[in-house]
Amino acid sequence: MDYMNEALKEAYEGINNKHGGPFGSVIVKDGKIIGRGHNRVLLKKDPTCHGEMEAIRDACVNMGTHDLSGSELYTTAEPCPMCLGAIMWANIGKVYYGCNVKDTDSIGFRDDKFYDFLNGVGNILELKENGREECVKLFEEYKKGNAERY
């Protein structure tokens, strides 16, 4: 099966229904598609509903776990920093993408601004520490319990 073609089908479904941008993804494990998603930012009015995020959510529900170790993600565009973080949290080991960040920029998306910020260039967000003492106490309480780490 051509998994990138399946990701493209997801992307076309999204743009044809005006759900969001041309971003579709599938997650594959052991030769089977376990999750599908396309950009639904406009449909859900939620900026986190990128194709990769939707596919991860779908795969986690389908597999009954938050751990997608051993899986691969196919996506129509190079994942943005948010999606990369989710991919890493989900333990997805390999990503195949079609268009790169420059291609995404050429159609009006601003992924490059996020990469610039992460590289210490640009000022699109202000981060300030606040309430650290109380939050450290919270972390200590969590540490004392025997909660499952992920």
Side-chain angles (χ1 to χ4, degrees), residues 1-104:
M1 177 178 278
D2 182 355
Y3 300 120
M4 185 57 77
N5 192 46
E6 293 298 310
L8 283 161
K9 286 180 188 175
E10 282 292 325
Y12 277 113
E13 181 181 337
I15 62 170
N16 290 336
N17 290 296
K18 300 188 184 330
H19 291 170
F23 308 108
S25 301
V26 295
I27 298 174
V28 177
K29 186 171 183 174
D30 300 325
K32 291 185 175 183
I33 294 176
I34 61 170
R36 295 174 171 274
H38 61 266
N39 186 292
R40 291 183 175 94
V41 169
L42 298 177
L43 176 69
K44 294 185 175 181
K45 297 175 180 36
D46 180 343
T48 69
C49 291
H50 290 193
E52 297 92 339
M53 302 292 282
E54 295 289 280
I56 290 169
R57 291 173 180 129
D58 187 49
C60 288
V61 167
N62 293 337
M63 301 303 287
T65 182
H66 62 276
D67 186 353
L68 301 177
S69 293
S71 63
E72 301 174 334
L73 187 141
Y74 292 77
T75 185
T76 57
E78 187 172 352
C80 73
M82 174 184 69
C83 292
L84 282 173
I87 289 163
M88 290 188 283
W89 279 113
N91 297 313
I92 295 170
K94 190 177 279 188
V95 175
Y96 298 95
Y97 63 88
C99 293
N100 61 38
V101 174
K102 289 181 182 180
D103 299 321
T104 304

Side-chain angles (χ1 to χ4, degrees), residues 124-142:
I124 61 171
L125 175 67
E126 187 175 330
L127 294 172
K128 289 190 171 204
E129 190 175 281
N130 183 358
R132 183 174 185 279
E133 194 173 308
E134 295 82 5
C135 292
V136 167
K137 288 178 187 175
L138 169 70
F139 276 31
E140 289 300 320
E141 286 298 315
Y142 179 76

